Amino acid sequence: MTIGSNLCNEMSNLTFRKERESKRTISQALTVPDGNSQEGAQNAPMGGPSNHHLDLSDRPAKTPRVQRPRPVTVYVKKADERIYSALCLTHQTIENLQDEVAAKYSIPKNMPVRLYKRTRKGLLIHMDTRMVEQFQDEDDFIVDVSFQNKEGIFEVTFLY
């Protein structure tokens, strides 16, 4: 080796040591400089060693993102109608479906409404919220609306 290359290696080693000493360690990075002492702030490198550590528990907790249920649109028509009408269910509950059907077919609000589902096999099933929760967006039904004069209620049957 020549004197020039030795000198060059010595200078690069010295530069490497100075850079390494000037870099902060993780514990130094997590410490907060003491704001009360002027000399500590002047002598210590930015974020340098101090007795105060950041307490991550002081950070405000993130509020969880609230997922609003997406409205479901179902299409309904009577057997003698040619065009479907949309019912937008903001909440997939039996009460919301009853309100939407009552509004669509001009059923007075004080009149009770019973909702049924008739399957392809011909079974008649009393609907509940669990069944309404199974509705998919843009499902279509043929509905039969009838008034039971004897009981004083409206019956709405959804035909699949």
Side-chain angles (χ1 to χ4, degrees), residues 41-57:
Q42 291 173 352
N43 294 339
M46 188 168 147
S50 175
N51 293 334
H52 302 288
H53 290 281
L54 285 176
D55 187 8
L56 297 179
S57 64

Side-chain angles (χ1 to χ4, degrees), residues 72 74 89 92 97 127 130-137 139 141 158 160:
V72 174
V74 294
L89 303 177
Q92 284 182 268
L97 181 62
M127 291 183 75
R130 283 182 136 183
M131 294 176 77
V132 177
E133 288 172 352
Q134 299 302 314
F135 284 179
Q136 299 292 316
D137 198 30
D139 276 349
F141 305 97
F158 288 79
Y160 280 77

Side-chain angles (χ1 to χ4, degrees), residues 37-92:
S37 74
Q38 290 286 339
E39 71 182 60
Q42 291 173 352
N43 294 339
M46 188 168 147
S50 175
N51 293 334
H52 302 288
H53 290 281
L54 285 176
D55 187 8
L56 297 179
S57 64
D58 288 345
R59 295 175 62 196
K62 288 186 177 181
T63 56
R65 192 176 288 180
V66 177
Q67 297 253 341
R68 293 186 183 107
R70 292 182 52 111
V72 174
T73 303
V74 294
Y75 301 116
V76 295
K77 73 171 189 155
K78 291 184 179 180
D80 59 343
E81 294 176 333
R82 194 173 65 98
I83 299 173
Y84 283 89
S85 299
L87 299 180
C88 183
L89 303 177
T90 53
H91 302 289
Q92 284 182 268

